[in-house]
Amino acid sequence: MTTTTGALGPDGAARPDGPDQPSGPDRPARAALPASYLLWLAGAQLGAVGDAALAFALGWAAAAHGGGAAGLVLTALTVARTALVLVGGAVADRLGARRVMLAGDAVMLAATLALAAVAGGWGTPLRLLLLAAVVIGAVDAFHLPASGSMPRLLVGAGQLPRALALRQAGGQLAALLGAPLGGALAAAGGLPAVALVDAASFAVVLLVLLRVPVPVPVPRQRRERSGGQHSPGLLAEAAAGVRLAAGDRLLRAALLLTGAAAGALLPVVSLLAPLLARVEGWGAGSAGLVAGGQGAGVLAVAALLARRGGGARGAGGTGAALGLCAAAAGIALLAAAPGPGTAVAGGVVTGAGSGLFACRIGPLVLGAAPDGHLSRVQALLTLVQSAALVLSTGLLGLLADAAGPRLPTALCAVATGAAGAFALASPVLRPGGVLAGRTGGGQSARAGRGRTETDGARGAAGRAA
C-alpha cells in the first residue's frame, strides 16, 4: 500500500471506511507500508542515533565531575520530561503532531549548536550539562507524544502493528549504534563534536518533516473550522486525557500493564545485570554482553514482526502477555545464572520477550485512542513508564545493596510473570487487537485521509500520505 485510504464527506472530513473502501484489517497484511511513513521513520531513526550519541557523551562528560554529578544530570533530564509530558501531549493534540515536532527539532538544532559552541570555548562545567539535560527533557516532553501518534496518522489500521514493529526495530538499532558512535566522537573531539553531529541529524529530520504531509484528525478539523472557539486551557485538556484513559477499560488496563512491565523489566539489564556481574566477578565485558544480548533479542523479534505483518485482530493483548511471560523466564535465567554464558542467554530471552510485549502493546494502546487524544494517550504511556522506572530503580538498588543483586532480579522475574498472567486472564486484554473489537474512536485517522498539515500550502482536504 502506498497511500492510506478513506472516504471524504462533503464537508471534507474523513469518514470511516465504507463498502468501497475496505477497512484496514481486511487489506493484505504484506502490502507495502506508505512511503510517507517510511520517509518519516528513516528521518526519526537517524535523529535517534544522534540523540543516543549525545546522551552517552553527556553522561561521559558528567562522570568527570563524579558519580553524584552524573546521576544529577540524568535525573534532571528525566524530571523535566516527566513534569511536562502531559502538557506536551495536550499541545500536540491541539496544534498537531507535525507542528510540534517541527518546533521541537528546531529548538534542539539551535540548542545543540549552542552546546557545541559553549563546550568548545569553555569546556563542560556541570551547570552547562545540567542546562542541556533540562532542555533535552523539556523538548522530549513535547516531542515524544507527538512522534508517538505519527504511526496512527500515517498508516492504515491493518498495518499499524507492522509499522510499530518496524519502528521498534529501528529504535533498538539506533540505540545499539548511538552509544558506540558517541564514544568514538567523544574520544575524537569531545562533547562539541558529538553535539555538532546531533545538530546535523536534527537538520535532516527537519527537512524530512517538511516533506511529509500529515493528516489532521477529524475533531481538530472541526475545531479549526469553528475558529477554535471555547477551547479549554492546556491543563484542562491534559486532565481530559487522563480522565479518558482512566474511564476506558482497555486503555486503563494496557497502561497499567505497561507501567508494571517498565518497573519490572527495564531495571534488569541497566541496573541489576551490571551489579550481578560485579558481585560474581564476571567483569564489565560480560555485563556489556548481557546488555547486547537483550538488545539483540528485541531487535530480532521486532524485525521478524515487521517482516511478517501485524497478525490477527485478537493477537494484541495475548501477544503482549506471552511476551511478558517469556521475559520473566529470561530474567529468572539471569537471576540463577552460574556464569556469564547463562547470563547472556537470559539477556537474549529477556530481550525477545520484551520486544514481543512492546510490539503488541503499542498497537493496542495507539489503536484504542480516539482521534483527538492520540498525543495525550502517548504522553500517558511515557508518564507511566517513567514514573514506574524511577520508583522501581531506587527500590531495587536499595534491595541489591542489602541482599545482593540475585534477590531483586528474581523478584523482577516474579513481577513480570505475574503481569503476564494478569494480561492472559484479563477479559479486557485477552480479546484485544489493534481495534480491540471497537467500531468507534479513531477510524477516521486510521482511514488516513483528511486535511494534511503543510502549514497552509496544502491545507485543504486531500491526500494523507
Side-chain angles (χ1 to χ4, degrees):
M1 184 178 73
T2 57
T3 60
T4 50
T5 58
L8 290 177
D11 60 351
R15 292 177 176 171
D17 294 342
D20 296 332
Q21 299 286 350
S23 63
D26 295 328
R27 296 172 187 159
R30 298 300 302 276
L33 290 170
S36 58
Y37 178 74
L38 296 176
L39 177 62
W40 169 78
L41 186 62
Q45 298 314 318
L46 176 63
V49 172
D51 290 346
L54 182 61
F56 177 88
L58 280 176
W60 181 261
H65 299 277
L72 185 61
V73 169
L74 295 176
T75 300
L77 191 154
T78 302
V79 169
R81 180 174 57 208
T82 304
L84 295 173
V85 70
L86 290 181
V87 174
V91 170
D93 278 334
R94 174 182 286 192
L95 301 181
R98 180 174 175 272
R99 292 175 183 173
V100 169
M101 286 189 294
L102 283 170
D105 289 331
V107 169
M108 285 304 302
L109 174 60
T112 47
L113 288 174
L115 177 62
V118 174
W122 289 277
T124 56
L126 181 58
R127 60 182 178 273
L128 173 65
L129 302 178
L130 285 171
L131 178 60
V134 170
V135 171
I136 292 171
V139 174
D140 276 353
F142 292 83
H143 197 279
L144 289 176
S147 63
S149 69
M150 286 289 280
R152 249 284 295 273
L153 296 171
L154 295 175
V155 176
Q159 293 184 313
L160 189 56
R162 184 169 168 233
L164 290 178
L166 185 61
R167 188 185 183 204
Q168 177 78 11
Q172 189 62 47
L173 184 61
L176 291 175
L177 295 175
L181 176 63
L185 291 172
L191 183 60
V194 185
L196 284 175
V197 169
D198 198 25
S201 75
F202 280 115
V204 173
V205 173
L206 275 170
L207 292 176
V208 169
L209 278 173
L210 289 172
R211 291 184 58 86
V212 176
V214 181
V216 179
V218 171
R220 211 184 116 217
Q221 293 184 43
R222 291 171 178 165
R223 183 169 67 242
E224 289 180 350
R225 282 197 298 269
S226 66
Q229 298 175 359
H230 309 298
S231 178
L234 287 176
L235 292 180
E237 291 188 3
V242 175
R243 289 194 299 272
L244 168 81
D248 186 287
R249 294 177 62 202
L250 176 60
L251 285 175
R252 183 172 65 244
L255 289 171
L256 288 174
L257 185 64
T258 301
L265 266 175
L266 297 182
V268 171
V269 174
S270 62
L271 172 69
L272 297 176
L275 291 176
L276 186 60
R278 282 186 175 274
V279 169
E280 298 297 327
W282 295 341
S286 296
L289 287 176
V290 173
Q294 187 262 355
V298 173
L299 180 60
V301 169
L304 178 63
L305 292 176
R307 179 177 177 82
R308 295 186 60 184
R313 177 184 290 254
T318 301
L322 293 177
L324 289 180
C325 293
I331 299 171
L333 188 61
L334 177 62
T342 307
V344 172
V348 173
V349 176
T350 301
S354 60
L356 177 59
F357 170 77
C359 290
R360 290 310 192 198
I361 202 68
L364 194 67
V365 173
L366 195 54
D371 287 346
H373 292 73
L374 294 180
S375 295
R376 277 172 283 183
V377 169
Q378 290 299 298
L380 279 170
L381 197 63
T382 300
L383 180 63
V384 297
Q385 291 180 85
S386 298
L389 180 60
V390 169
L391 178 62
S392 67
T393 298
L395 293 177
L396 290 170
L398 292 175
L399 183 57
D401 286 341
R406 289 191 184 271
L407 176 60
T409 305
L411 290 177
C412 284
V414 172
T416 303
F422 161 77
L424 283 174
S426 170
V428 179
L429 292 171
R430 190 169 57 245
V434 176
L435 302 182
R438 296 182 178 184
T439 58
Q443 285 185 353
S444 59
R446 285 190 292 269
R449 287 201 179 187
R451 224 183 60 180
T452 58
E453 292 179 47
T454 51
D455 295 333
R458 289 171 295 193
R463 69 176 194 181

